[in-house]
Structure formats: structure tokens, C-alpha cells
Amino acid sequence: MKRFQVGILFFIIALLFFFRLNSEIFKNSIEVGDIVKIYGRVEGGKGKILKIDDKFPKERLYFIVDKVDDSFVEIIGEIQKIKHNNWGSYYKVIPNEVFEKENYLKSYFIRKIKDITKDYSIELEDFYRATILGEGELIQNDLKEVFKYTGTSHILVISGLHIGIVIGGIIFVLNRMKIEKTMRFTLAFVILTIYIATVGLTPSILRAYIMGGIYILGNIIYEKVDSKKSLIVAFIISILIFPVWIYSLSFWMSYIAVFSIVVVYPKIYKFRLSKYKFINKIINIFIFLLTIQICMTPIFYIFFKTVPFLAFITNFIIVPVGTSFILISFLTLFLSNFYLGFLGAPLVNIIYIVLIKILMISSNIPYLTLEL
């Protein structure tokens, strides 16, 4: 494609983006006494606002409501109280009308997780649901601050790690069943789509889903997949479908993190500072984590006025434990469909306890993150 054609294409994409952004974004201010229509999931009387007055909010908005059953709901009601903090704005709503819009797949898996964790702490259930179903709002703000300080907040966000585990797990099982390659990857895409329909779309989920889908398609048609082009395609599709995400911290964190992995890191890795392969691997892991941290630093400064300084060190320990938790949690959730979730539940609980203990110890280390 010639440069002129590329220029025209990007001009059209930019026009579509700005048109959708202007028509889809919620621009009004909210005050006590206003009547609004909000859409989101109620969980224990609170939830995240996904839409307000049929438009997408560009900030993190949450609602609190009494006497409404846990489910996806559309509420028309009056704003009674407003509270702001570092994690978003919270609106106490007095409902006039409530319409249930249940996500039955998500409700099904919530019931499964509740059953898996019934003999353990409510904190484990909340963490399980946050990391596997994307319900990060269930995590207490104090724990979120610990994750932020240690530079490991990405564990709480469904991303390429989750999609990779889902695709890898499905392909691993189907390989053992001797299923033909095209059918294997087609089934993998169907199951992945069901998972995405369950957890819902966020910037990191849609980005990972598109890139995962391109990877699967490449294997079906026997084409080599270019991860850089996949990232560009995911970016364009995301901002055209959800233009308001351009204001989202998680959107920029997701894309910059992957950019650092697929573009920046390949240019600087393969250090050979020792004759021992194991030591070189350890060094390159540190360089990998440091590369991501350096690329993410402008985002942390812009949004939080903080700079991750030594956080890449804690990632070296915490990320493998967090990955183990996610992997075992997926396996246990799968087993729960055959009433065998109890087999993995104790291990899920042990890894969770270990992860939290490491986090708390790490949170006492000075200079992981600097406030400016």
C-alpha cells in the first residue's frame, strides 16, 4: 500500500474516531438531585457505571444503591450523594425504576466461584472474581494501593496473560484429543469468545481478544502472524468501537505495555553477560521487566504523579506467583463444571495467601514507587 493510500486510510479512521467520540461520550456534569439513567452490575449494593444516559463516561464512575438484587441492571433514579477519591467518583442513587439485564454466563461463573471459595475468606472470592472475571471493583482500595505501589496492578486486569492461558490451555487439551488443527483453533476461538462474552469488554480485554483472534486465524490459514501489525489493528478497532477509551488509564497502560514487549524489548534483549545460560536468562528477565517499567513511566506520572523506581524487582517475584494463581484458578473453574472444583480450591487459597503475604512484605520496601 502506497504512502498516499495509507494517509487517506488514517485520515478516514481519524474522522470516524472523532465523530464517534463526539456522539458517544457523556459530557454533562452530575449534581445531587439529578435524575439519571445508569447501566452496570450491582454487587452487594454497589457497582461500576458502564453507561450513563446511554453514553459512555470518560472517567471511572461507580454507583451505590439499596434494595436491588445482584445483577446487571439499568436504573433510572435520583442522585442523592456524591463522593470522590483517587479511584473514581461514587454516586448514591435512589432508584425510581430498575430493569434487570442479566449476563447469564457471568452469573453462572460467579456461582461457581462462590462454590469454590465457600470454605475460605470473602477476600479470596473477591480476588478470584477480580482476576478471572474482571470485577476489579470488588478489591478493597487499600489492597489496590499496595498493588499500585509495588507496580503489580496489571495482575488485577484481564489481559494478554489471561487470553494466553485460555488459548494455550484449550489447544493443550485439544492436542491430546487428536483433533485436526483447523478444528482445534476454531474451537479455541469459539471458547475464547464465550469467555470474553462472560467477562465483558474493557480496553485490555478487547486488545488481547483481537490479538488472540488474529493469532488463531493465522494458525487456521497457515500464515505467520506479525504481533506489531496485530497491535495496530487492535488499537484501531478499539478506538473506533469505544472512542471514549482514549481517556482510559487502562487503555494506555495496556497498549504501551504490549508496545514495550513487541517493539522495544526485542531490540535490546539477548544480553550475554555470563557464560551460564541460567544467569543470562535471569538478567534478560530483569531487562524485560525494566523495559516495560521505563515505557510505562510517563503514564504513571501523568495519571498518578508517581514514578515506578524499583518496582520491576517486585514484579520478578510477584508476577510468577500471580500467574500461578490465575492458571490454577482457571483450571479449578473448569473442573467445577464437573463438580470437581474442590480439588483445586485448597491450592488456589494457598497461592492467594502466599501472594498477599509477598505483596504486604514488598509494600514495606522503600522507593518501589516515588511520589512526585
Side-chain angles (χ1 to χ4, degrees):
M1 188 178 291
K2 297 180 180 179
R3 290 185 178 180
F4 176 75
Q5 293 173 317
V6 172
I8 293 295
L9 177 60
F10 276 95
F11 178 72
I12 293 172
I13 291 172
L15 282 180
L16 287 172
F17 165 71
F18 285 112
F19 173 77
R20 284 190 51 75
L21 180 64
N22 185 64
S23 61
E24 294 287 334
I25 192 172
F26 180 76
K27 302 175 182 177
N28 300 331
S29 60
I30 304 174
E31 299 179 354
V32 173
D34 288 348
I35 302 296
V36 296
K37 179 169 70 172
I38 60 176
Y39 170 70
R41 177 177 172 79
V42 177
E43 180 70 32
K46 59 183 179 180
K48 185 176 182 179
I49 298 176
L50 303 178
K51 274 191 171 185
I52 179 165
D53 291 342
D54 296 319
K55 295 185 181 295
F56 295 98
K58 68 178 183 179
E59 300 172 344
R60 288 172 292 186
L61 305 182
Y62 302 89
F63 66 99
I64 302 169
V65 63
D66 295 328
K67 299 179 181 179
V68 175
D69 294 335
D70 294 351
S71 64
F72 281 94
V73 294
E74 186 175 85
I75 298 175
I76 299 175
E78 179 183 342
I79 301 296
Q80 184 186 49
K81 187 177 180 181
I82 300 175
K83 181 181 178 182
H84 304 283
N85 63 29
N86 291 334
W87 294 100
S89 299
Y90 293 77
Y91 298 96
K92 173 70 175 178
V93 181
I94 304 299
N96 298 326
E97 296 181 82
V98 178
F99 307 94
E100 288 195 11
K101 296 178 176 290
E102 189 59 272
N103 181 329
Y104 294 101
L105 280 171
K106 191 164 210 174
S107 296
Y108 171 79
F109 285 112
I110 287 174
R111 290 195 299 271
K112 290 297 182 182
I113 291 175
K114 285 181 177 291
D115 185 61
I116 291 168
T117 60
K118 64 183 179 182
D119 296 325
Y120 305 99
S121 66
I122 186 64
E123 288 79 15
L124 172 61
E125 179 192 325
D126 290 344
F127 192 78
Y128 203 133
R129 289 172 58 179
T131 53
I132 302 302
L133 298 182
E135 298 187 300
E137 65 273 10
L138 297 177
I139 302 296
Q140 295 295 318
N141 288 340
D142 289 346
L143 184 57
K144 287 182 182 179
E145 290 291 345
V146 173
F147 272 99
K148 188 175 80 170
Y149 176 72
T150 56
T152 53
S153 297
H154 50 88
I155 292 176
L156 301 176
V157 179
I158 295 179
S159 61
L161 172 63
H162 297 70
I163 302 304
I165 289 174
V166 171
I167 294 176
I170 295 167
I171 298 301
F172 176 82
V173 172
L174 296 179
N175 276 339
R176 298 300 179 273
M177 297 172 66
K178 307 297 183 183
I179 295 177
E180 188 267 334
K181 182 179 180 181
T182 299
M183 182 57 67
R184 283 201 311 268
F185 281 94
T186 300
L187 286 173
F189 182 73
V190 171
I191 295 172
L192 177 62
T193 301
I194 292 173
Y195 174 62
I196 297 302
T198 299
V199 300
L201 291 178
T202 65
S204 59
I205 293 174
L206 182 58
R207 190 267 309 156
Y209 176 61
I210 294 171
M211 295 185 72
I214 292 173
Y215 166 78
I216 291 173
L217 179 62
N219 278 273
I220 291 175
I221 63 177
Y222 298 93
E223 289 286 340
K224 186 177 180 181
V225 176
D226 186 329
S227 57
K228 298 175 186 176
K229 291 180 180 178
S230 298
L231 182 63
I232 293 172
V233 171
F235 181 87
I236 292 172
I237 292 175
S238 294
I239 62 171
L240 289 181
I241 297 176
F242 299 105
V244 72
W245 282 355
I246 206 75
Y247 297 106
S248 169
L249 169 62
S250 61
F251 176 85
W252 289 109
M253 288 180 68
S254 175
Y255 279 92
I256 290 176
V258 177
F259 176 84
S260 67
I261 293 170
V262 303
V263 178
V264 181
Y265 177 67
K267 297 182 182 299
I268 60 175
Y269 86 118
K270 292 184 178 179
F271 275 75
R272 297 290 182 266
L273 301 180
S274 171
K275 64 180 180 179
Y276 299 105
K277 290 184 179 180
F278 176 75
I279 294 177
N280 283 321
K281 285 184 178 180
I282 297 297
I283 292 172
N284 277 291
I285 290 173
F286 271 108
I287 293 172
F288 173 78
L289 295 172
L290 182 59
T291 300
I292 297 174
Q293 178 177 301
I294 291 173
C295 290
M296 297 284 282
T297 295
I299 293 298
F300 281 100
Y301 177 74
I302 291 170
F303 282 89
F304 298 119
K305 300 303 178 187
T306 62
V307 172
F309 183 52
L310 299 176
F312 70 98
I313 298 175
T314 54
N315 270 269
F316 185 77
I317 300 171
I318 295 173
V319 169
V321 180
T323 302
S324 299
F325 177 87
I326 293 168
L327 178 60
I328 300 301
S329 294
F330 270 123
L331 178 60
T332 303
L333 191 57
F334 172 75
L335 291 174
S336 71
N337 294 288
F338 308 98
Y339 303 99
L340 297 173
F342 66 91
L343 295 176
L347 185 55
V348 169
N349 184 56
I350 290 171
I351 297 175
Y352 167 74
I353 292 172
V354 170
L355 176 61
I356 297 302
K357 284 188 178 298
I358 294 174
L359 271 170
M360 293 307 172
I361 293 172
S362 300
S363 67
N364 293 317
I365 300 174
Y367 308 121
L368 293 182
T369 298
L370 303 178
E371 293 189 6
L372 301 179

